[in-house]
Amino acid sequence: MLSIILFFPVIVGAALALWRGLPARAAGLVWLAATLIDLALLIVLTFTADAGANGLKAEERVNWMPQLGSSYHLGVDGLSLPLLLLADVIFVVCAIWSLRESDRPRPQAALFLFLQTTCLGLFAAQDLILFFVFFDLSIVGMYFVIAGWGHGNPRRSALMFFIYTFLGSLALLLGFIGLYLGADPHTFDMVELSQRGAFTGSPVAAGFVLAAIVLGLAVKTPTFPFHSWLAPAHTDAPTIGSVVLASLLLKMGTYGFVRIAMPMLPDAWRSWAWVIVILGIVAVIFGALVALVQTNIKRMIAFTSINHMGYVILAVGAAGVVGRNTAEAQQLAIAGAVTQMVSHGLITGALFLLAGVFYDRTGSYDLGQYGGLAGPAPRFAGFFAVAAFASLGLPGFSGFIAEFQIFTGSIGTVPWALIALPGILITAVLFLRAFQRVFTGETKGLSVGFADLHLRETMALTVLMALVVLIGVVPGPLLAMIEPAAELLVGNLQP
């Protein structure tokens, strides 16, 4: 059933690509129906699949390249299932948002269905070659999204995105080859590599392999100083392109840390954990400070993503600092990191949809050209306020649950992780300042005559914000899904 969930979107996408006579309205409805069916199948799998001996649900394995120790191996656990659910929700929201799309809606729907399969495939892959295939295909898909449906200077931004992330994927491939050579017997199977580890007893070689993997994942995340592609890609991407980029493609990097780097190279991860912690702290502070000086709403949200992904980097680094009685704090940090991936995907997805409304109505992302927007667009102001408060981690929203776990777990193992705390204050200031500047006071500039949210826009935002509040108020089911996998991961890190 997992394979059906993975490949159903791309099959529908291929049919849409070939069905030239299909009206634009019908293409949008077919896209929405496909995403809803896929989400329904995934929910059924979530509640019906039982975990096997290795902790994976819905496991499938077929020989692919046995000479290389590679197979078509799929399976989900508490680290990947929340991200698969996030992916299907995000693509449902994108389909709703695009119901009235007039710019080549049929090929756009086909392209996003292709992207959906790459995201689902990466989070379900249990073989490094399979993981790498979906990783690279996602880069290709997003390149065409930015270049084909972007604005401003989309070709330049798409090329910059492709070159940066493709170079990162080459580093990742080098690391995967290293893992294969360091395993005994040689294999690309992620479950076997996680159980046995690679390069045990060879700290220098393990360090080089870890460096290659961390570099590849850091570019994709992105984290400082590998973030240069992020702001142009977001600024010039279409609205739903930015949503998929921020909500899902960035998570491929952070997911790689908990799925590959930590369990497969536990000795090296413990040895270099302090470097990861420093990278996380720098990303938190740097992302917040650079976001603070932005006047372009999309660039501001993009740099807050570096800040929020910095929390995840900080948590996975702190989880590698093993000491006496730190296991509980390490599990908390890992659970917080995965919760933050889901929370950030939902909240930032909503923020980029709201940023798209600015451009759709006036053609400008410049915050300085708006004022008093709450008057003509009260629903828009309300959603922006809720998304902003959720992003800065107030109680009652998913961001609070994630950041509370991350900082409790990180400071519990690395006390100086509290250096990152001002990052929360800075993001609070920048969102409140942006809200005051754009939505309060006298209506002026581009706010005059600004149309409020349409029904489809309200529906898409309601889906995301309802889940943000639901996780914030009732986090138990999500944490119950994540915690067993976090406990298993921390157990593998023990010397």
Side-chain angles (χ1 to χ4, degrees), residues 406-426:
I406 286 173
F407 278 104
T408 304
S410 299
I411 295 173
T413 56
V414 187
W416 45 274
L418 58 82
I419 298 171
L421 276 173
I424 296 177
L425 178 63
I426 299 170

Side-chain angles (χ1 to χ4, degrees), residues 140-151:
V140 174
M142 185 51 66
Y143 167 83
F144 284 111
V145 167
I146 299 173
W149 281 265
H151 42 256

Side-chain angles (χ1 to χ4, degrees), residues 160-208:
M160 190 174 180
F161 160 80
F162 186 89
I163 291 173
Y164 262 83
T165 52
F166 191 69
L167 284 174
S169 78
L170 291 180
L172 199 60
L173 179 61
L174 193 62
F176 288 177
I177 293 171
L179 285 172
Y180 171 80
L181 296 174
D184 185 19
H186 298 325
T187 181
F188 283 107
D189 191 88
M190 294 166 69
V191 176
E192 293 180 28
L193 284 165
S194 298
Q195 291 172 344
R196 294 201 299 261
F199 288 112
T200 51
S202 304
V204 176
F208 278 112

Side-chain angles (χ1 to χ4, degrees), residues 436-458:
Q436 281 186 339
R437 179 188 295 180
V438 174
F439 292 97
T440 61
E442 181 188 353
T443 301
K444 61 183 181 180
L446 296 179
S447 298
V448 177
F450 196 99
D452 207 351
L453 295 176
H454 306 310
L455 177 61
R456 63 178 174 81
E457 295 168 337
T458 304

